[in-house]
Amino acid sequence: MKTMRALLALSALLLLLGTLGCQPTQTVVPQATSPVKKTYADVIIGYAQLGAESEWRAANTTSIKETADQLGIELHFLDAQQNQDKQIEAVRKLIVQKVDLIGISPIVETGWSEVFQEAKNAGIPIILVDRRAAVQEDLYVSYLGSDFLEEGRNAARVMADLTGGKAQIVELVGTINSAPANDRYRGFREILADYPEMEIIASETGDFTRARGREVMEKFLNEHGSEITAVYAHNDDMALGAITAIEEHGLKPGVDIKIISIDAARGAFEAMIAGKLNAAIECNPLLGPQFFELALKVINGETVPKWVPSEEGIFFPFDAAEILPTRKY
Ligand code: GYE
């Protein structure tokens, strides 16, 4: 009853104030304010690159640095020189530097949980660029890069076409325990399972470098000689090293021994034009623009997909000369 009377009194008062042209003071309800969106000029991005092992990596690094420059982003770029401990240290340095976000191409898949957790505790999001890491999903916001498994499958499909489903293959594997080496290895075998006359007679790591590719191919040739009819190289650089080894052995690369590699950088196109490489499966290193776009979205609290795949094709010698001038890496 009392409340009823109080309410009536209140409405009478409000009516009176209204007629007098006064407004009662409004209660301020805290609004969910939308924070001002950051622009490229406001952010500091850290990047922990794994090294400089290949033509692919050189193009990748250039893409990251040039894009940052063009967008006016402050980029803290660290190169781990092919060493996981150094790459972990690089992430720690970037945490101390309080960057807004860290991009990293993890050299190998395992061993990242601890340092990624440290970044998370410091409130710094991580984007995996190019290579995945085997960590819990909440330790990174997104993976931007290729489908390495599909690249391996495509390499096997093309190899089957080239050899009529009959081959004695030697395989030059990428860096042991790296995501691209693991998946290119598996994807290739998945398809090979359907071809009983295609056999992998030797498989060893060439660490994604030209020098190691050449050395390992020399060893394969000394051990297996003319038994070898095909080479599957997990990247162009190792294939180019293998081409030198095959020539030194007095054989014709691309003819006596069919060769397929992954990356499709300019060196692979030149080798295809020279008739020494039979196919190149594309893996795109120009990830700079997509990376920074994704990074800014993350910093501004937008939801991003857990995997942003890059678009890729397959190239052959017949139109390599026509395509080469259009290649950006
Ligand atoms: O294929 C190889 C490089 O991680 C996709 O690393 C990358 C691979 C690329 O060394 O050339």
Side-chain angles (χ1 to χ4, degrees):
M1 198 59 197
K2 261 189 185 160
T3 350
M4 195 65 180
R5 236 181 271 144
L7 275 176
L8 282 172
L10 183 65
S11 16
L13 178 68
L14 286 176
L15 203 71
L16 180 71
L17 286 173
T19 42
L20 291 176
C22 307
Q23 293 298 322
T25 346
Q26 278 179 359
T27 326
V28 180
V29 181
Q31 296 282 319
T33 47
S34 57
V36 181
K37 296 253 183 230
K38 291 199 174 173
T39 68
Y40 288 128
D42 306 320
V43 298
I44 303 176
I45 309 275
Y47 201 91
Q49 180 59 290
L50 68 88
E53 75 285 2
S54 63
E55 200 183 343
W56 191 100
R57 188 68 49 200
N60 180 243
T61 291
T62 306
S63 172
I64 306 279
K65 288 184 174 170
E66 279 185 2
T67 313
D69 253 15
Q70 283 158 10
L71 298 174
I73 292 173
E74 181 172 339
L75 174 69
H76 294 197
F77 186 94
L78 300 170
D79 179 344
Q81 296 161 320
Q82 249 70 44
N83 179 315
Q84 183 173 26
D85 290 338
K86 281 194 183 152
Q87 206 173 16
I88 291 173
E89 265 327 293
V91 175
R92 293 206 168 113
K93 269 190 199 150
L94 295 168
I95 296 173
V96 172
Q97 293 170 6
K98 293 192 166 47
V99 296
D100 293 301
L101 179 144
I102 296 174
I104 178 170
S105 299
I107 179 156
V108 290
E109 287 204 72
T110 49
W112 297 103
S113 300
E114 196 182 326
V115 74
F116 283 13
Q117 185 64 53
E118 288 168 24
K120 193 176 180 194
N121 295 346
I124 303 175
I126 288 192
I127 294 181
L128 303 176
V129 186
D130 154 41
R131 296 188 184 180
R132 291 179 191 278
V135 291
Q136 257 173 238
E137 285 228 331
D138 64 323
L139 291 183
Y140 68 96
V141 279
S142 187
Y143 163 63
L144 162 66
S146 312
D147 186 342
F148 300 134
L149 210 52
E150 191 57 19
E151 290 170 354
R153 292 186 193 118
N154 281 336
R157 289 178 185 122
V158 172
M159 182 77 91
D161 272 0
L162 271 174
T163 60
K166 197 172 172 184
Q168 300 281 95
I169 306 160
V170 295
E171 179 183 32
L172 292 165
V173 175
T175 298
I176 293 295
N177 193 24
S178 69
N182 286 344
D183 289 357
R184 289 169 186 173
Y185 183 98
R186 276 201 298 138
F188 192 76
R189 282 162 179 75
E190 245 179 53
I191 301 298
L192 236 56
D194 298 334
Y195 295 91
E197 288 184 289
M198 287 176 76
E199 198 195 341
I200 300 169
I201 56 173
S203 170
E204 211 173 288
T205 182
D207 210 14
F208 280 131
T209 69
R210 198 171 293 206
R212 288 284 294 139
R214 180 174 173 179
E215 256 173 57
V216 176
M217 189 67 209
E218 259 163 34
K219 188 177 150 221
F220 286 160
L221 286 162
N222 290 334
E223 285 169 5
H224 303 276
S226 53
E227 248 185 275
I228 303 169
T229 63
V231 174
Y232 166 40
H234 285 199
N235 83 339
D236 293 346
D237 295 69
M238 292 189 295
L240 296 175
I243 286 173
T244 310
I246 293 169
E247 284 173 334
E248 282 169 354
H249 209 81
L251 293 168
K252 276 201 158 125
V255 180
D256 298 326
I257 297 179
K258 304 284 188 222
I259 308 172
I260 292 180
S261 72
I262 301 179
D263 278 355
R266 296 181 75 90
F269 276 82
E270 279 152 11
M272 284 197 285
I273 293 166
K276 297 176 181 182
L277 180 72
N278 303 87
I281 316 289
E282 186 177 33
C283 179
N284 184 7
L286 306 180
L287 302 173
Q290 271 177 294
F291 167 59
F292 291 112
E293 197 188 320
L294 198 61
L296 196 63
K297 282 189 182 158
V298 170
I299 292 170
N300 280 326
E302 288 177 42
T303 325
V304 297
K306 209 69 194 181
W307 179 16
V308 181
S310 32
E311 279 180 18
E312 305 179 332
I314 302 177
F315 300 97
F316 297 94
F318 76 94
D319 58 354
E322 201 182 305
I323 294 174
L324 177 60
T326 68
R327 299 295 288 169
K328 294 198 178 65
Y329 60 95

